Amino acid sequence: MAKALKGSVKVGFKQPQLDISLHEPCILYKGSQKRLREEKTVDVAISSDKDWFAKNIPCRATCPINTDARSYSLAISEGKKQLAYLIARQNNPFVSVLGKVCHAPCEPVCQRAKIDSPVVLRALKSFAVEKNRFSTKEVYEWLNTKKSKVEVGKSRTGDGPPKIVIVGGGPAGLSAAHDLALMGYKVKVIEASSRLGGVLNAIPEYKLDKGSAKKDIDDILYLGVAVETNRTCGKDFGIDELQKQYDAVLLATGLQKGKLPDIPGAELDGVLHGVDFLKHVVAGDRVFLGEKVVVLGGENAAVDIARAARRLRGKDIKVSVVCVEAAKGSKQYSPEDEMPADASEIYAAQQEGIVFHTSLEPKAILGEHGTVVGLKARKVKAVYDEEGHFNPTYVSGKDEVLAADTVIVGYGQELDVAFKEKSKGLRLAADGSLKVDQETMMTTKTGVFACGDMTSPGQVVDAVASGQKAAQSVHEFLRGKGSLGLGDTGETIPVHHHQRHDTFAIKCTIGRKLPPALYPWRRKKTMDLVEGCYPDYEAKRQGDRCIDCSIIPLVSPYHPCTVCGVCVDACPAECISLRFINKVDLGKSKGDVDGVHGEGPWVGLVIDDNACIRCGACAEACWEDSISMVQYREVTGQKETVHG
């Protein structure tokens, strides 16, 4: 419904700077500069609504770390590649990694999908990273101008900032280290393996090159984070010991223990666990596989394992994926029964010659003389019951046998509780995970926190978000004040928007195009990155597909609507309607409604924000100027000329 509008704000415009330096503000406004210069002041009738801004930028709202994808897409469309990088980097210490492997929850909710298909947000982030020319020092100088005021807590000894130790050097632990060090704390990371990265060390190079992970990790360590490797919690030291040396302890060990299926034959020679397999592949170790490999699992991890195995032996290997779920896209009325792996991942694997056997549940791994020779599976009718619980039902008499000499398990990791040795007070939840307060991220042991897959398994971006949340909780536990605020929505002001509908129509002619990729025949022979980088002109085109969700049509109280219905006819999204409205529809039961007496009904103009595509056709068609296109402009540390 159209918002109730009050008052008037006069906004004076200045010509924006076209070039930026590290100490100049982000230019987030996109519009006709000529028209802005012509109009000295513009009356915008709107009450600033920060909640509306936050909720109606869905790409940002659904990102676990609140990445401002809208702004970096628009910056790329304007040719401002360095600005795009800074926006993408602002609240994301793993910007290089997530430019390659983020599962992009922002894309399915992109407003552009109302017209045709979402903006390719993850690939545009990767483009911005590729074009970045700022040094690590310059980036942190810029971040220091953007972060909110933070006061670190007090150490127990009183000499210098508090000392914090983080056990685990994966994305969650390192993200927490980044934020705490940026706040001003003294941070040390202790890692059980010989190198940092955690789960990043199990992502094959055809998806994530080592250089991207190294760049992000090195940038975090640049803040002065100390590191100790090859030290295992519970073996080389205990948590009680750490608490005596540090003001706070943060656990981020992840799910390190592989879990094999509870079926006959799981102990046979030739049965491998997927995560261990991928770690050896990424490390460059020699991995021996047979000629017929079967991978168990239906998630992205299983597809990664299959694609990596395919590359190890090229044409001399046959790789199959067996999963209990149905094929992607085959269950229109019960999609939860389908493979959870991304459709793009499945399609890429099929291009590389990998065969998918869906709706099959492994029943036994067959062997001879202690070695795998096949897999016996039964046909699945449905994965979930009517109440939505995992409860497979089967087709009787439909067992199948697949020939195999190697079976790789692509699911089933669990918490290795060995870290609890030499410590007291830590308790586990009923499901075997570490028990934590989900609000404070503190364990059952005071002063000991946890984050990442230990608390809630998820994707890499979820681990980063968990680490950032834990860092803030540790900061507050140590009686620190403030927060970095790098992902927060800034103060918003309304400005009149002058984009013409014909300009918007041109945007709509630009189709979604994915970045260049290696041909399937070549992928089978190499671990080289499959996805390339956009050329500049194509990145600019793809960024220009963003329809900018900060723009919205609003009805002005200064040009009363004559209820002519022209806007209704002009709206291509059919999101405008004329309705009878009573006082209760406006959320009022007594008194006046914006100076209007009575109970109604009145004929009102209603605009559905959720369906609106921000094209401006209604404002352009309105001969009474009752509808104006207004943009919420986020103020990020820059001075605006505001009068009135």
Side-chain angles (χ1 to χ4, degrees), residues 111-119 507-512 545 547:
Q111 298 272 24
R112 177 62 192 245
K114 297 175 182 177
I115 301 171
D116 46 19
S117 55
V119 178
K507 279 177 174 279
C508 295
T509 64
I510 306 173
R512 175 182 167 102
R545 294 185 70 244
I547 61 176

Side-chain angles (χ1 to χ4, degrees), residues 39-273:
E39 299 198 17
K40 301 292 185 182
T41 59
V42 180
D43 282 342
V44 179
I46 185 171
S47 57
S48 184
D49 188 344
K50 184 176 178 180
D51 290 338
W52 180 92
F53 182 88
K55 294 176 182 177
N56 283 270
I57 314 292
C59 59
R60 185 171 180 174
T62 57
C63 177
I65 56 177
N66 297 316
T67 301
D68 194 359
R70 173 191 67 95
S71 291
Y72 72 64
S73 298
L74 293 175
I76 290 172
S77 76
E78 297 172 0
K80 299 174 182 176
K81 295 174 283 189
Q82 303 306 304
L83 175 58
Y85 172 78
L86 292 176
I87 295 171
R89 168 62 182 89
Q90 184 163 317
N91 194 43
N92 184 359
F94 279 97
V95 64
S96 302
V97 168
L98 291 175
K100 297 286 197 303
V101 300
C102 185
H103 68 298
C106 52
E107 291 191 16
V109 298
C110 176
Q111 298 272 24
R112 177 62 192 245
K114 297 175 182 177
I115 301 171
D116 46 19
S117 55
V119 178
V120 194
L121 297 171
R122 183 194 56 75
L124 287 176
K125 182 193 302 174
S126 183
F127 170 82
V129 171
E130 183 73 21
K131 299 300 179 180
N132 170 47
R133 297 297 176 264
F134 289 127
S135 67
T136 302
K137 179 182 178 182
E138 290 172 326
V139 170
Y140 280 120
E141 286 178 359
W142 184 81
L143 285 177
N144 282 323
T145 68
K146 294 296 174 184
K147 70 181 184 182
S148 303
K149 186 177 180 181
V150 178
E151 294 181 16
V152 300
K154 302 292 184 181
S155 66
R156 287 178 297 186
T157 59
D159 54 341
K163 296 186 294 183
I164 301 166
V165 63
I166 299 174
V167 182
L174 289 174
S175 296
H178 169 272
D179 282 16
L180 289 166
L182 198 56
M183 289 179 187
Y185 290 95
K186 192 172 182 179
V187 183
K188 175 182 279 189
V189 174
I190 302 178
E191 168 60 34
S193 66
S194 59
R195 57 177 179 163
L196 299 174
V199 71
L200 303 183
N201 296 322
I203 300 177
E205 285 189 72
Y206 71 83
K207 291 183 72 173
L208 177 65
D209 59 296
K210 293 179 180 178
S212 293
K214 185 178 186 304
K215 173 68 168 61
D216 288 343
I217 293 172
D218 287 348
D219 285 354
I220 293 171
L221 299 184
Y222 178 88
L223 290 170
V225 176
V227 176
E228 288 185 16
T229 56
N230 296 310
R231 295 195 66 206
T232 304
C233 186
K235 177 183 177 184
D236 300 316
F237 60 90
I239 295 172
D240 291 346
E241 177 186 344
L242 293 179
Q243 282 199 288
K244 295 177 182 178
Q245 304 173 36
Y246 297 90
D247 295 284
V249 178
L250 175 58
L251 303 176
T253 63
L255 302 178
Q256 298 292 337
K257 191 175 180 181
K259 184 178 178 182
L260 294 175
D262 186 19
I263 58 176
E267 75 290 346
L268 291 171
D269 187 19
V271 178
L272 308 176
H273 195 276

Side-chain angles (χ1 to χ4, degrees), residues 482-529:
S483 66
L484 290 177
L486 292 173
D488 296 345
T489 301
E491 179 186 352
T492 57
I493 63 168
V495 295
H496 200 92
H497 188 67
H498 294 290
Q499 176 176 277
R500 290 176 56 82
H501 178 62
D502 55 0
T503 304
F504 181 89
I506 293 173
K507 279 177 174 279
C508 295
T509 64
I510 306 173
R512 175 182 167 102
K513 185 176 181 180
L514 297 175
L518 289 179
Y519 290 109
W521 62 266
R522 188 177 174 190
R523 295 181 211 163
K524 303 174 185 178
K525 304 175 182 179
T526 177
M527 282 286 182
D528 291 347
L529 273 174

Side-chain angles (χ1 to χ4, degrees), residues 561-569 578 605 621-624:
C561 174
T562 60
V563 201
C564 67
V566 171
C567 57
V568 178
D569 295 335
L578 297 174
L605 186 66
C622 182
W623 57 278
E624 279 283 359

Side-chain angles (χ1 to χ4, degrees), residues 33 77 141-142 160 277 289 298 329 339 343 376 416 420 454 480 490 501 524 623 641:
Q33 302 304 319
S77 76
E141 286 178 359
W142 184 81
F277 166 75
L289 297 176
M339 293 180 66
K376 186 177 183 180
D416 187 348
K420 288 181 59 184
M454 298 182 77
H501 178 62
K524 303 174 185 178
W623 57 278
T641 306

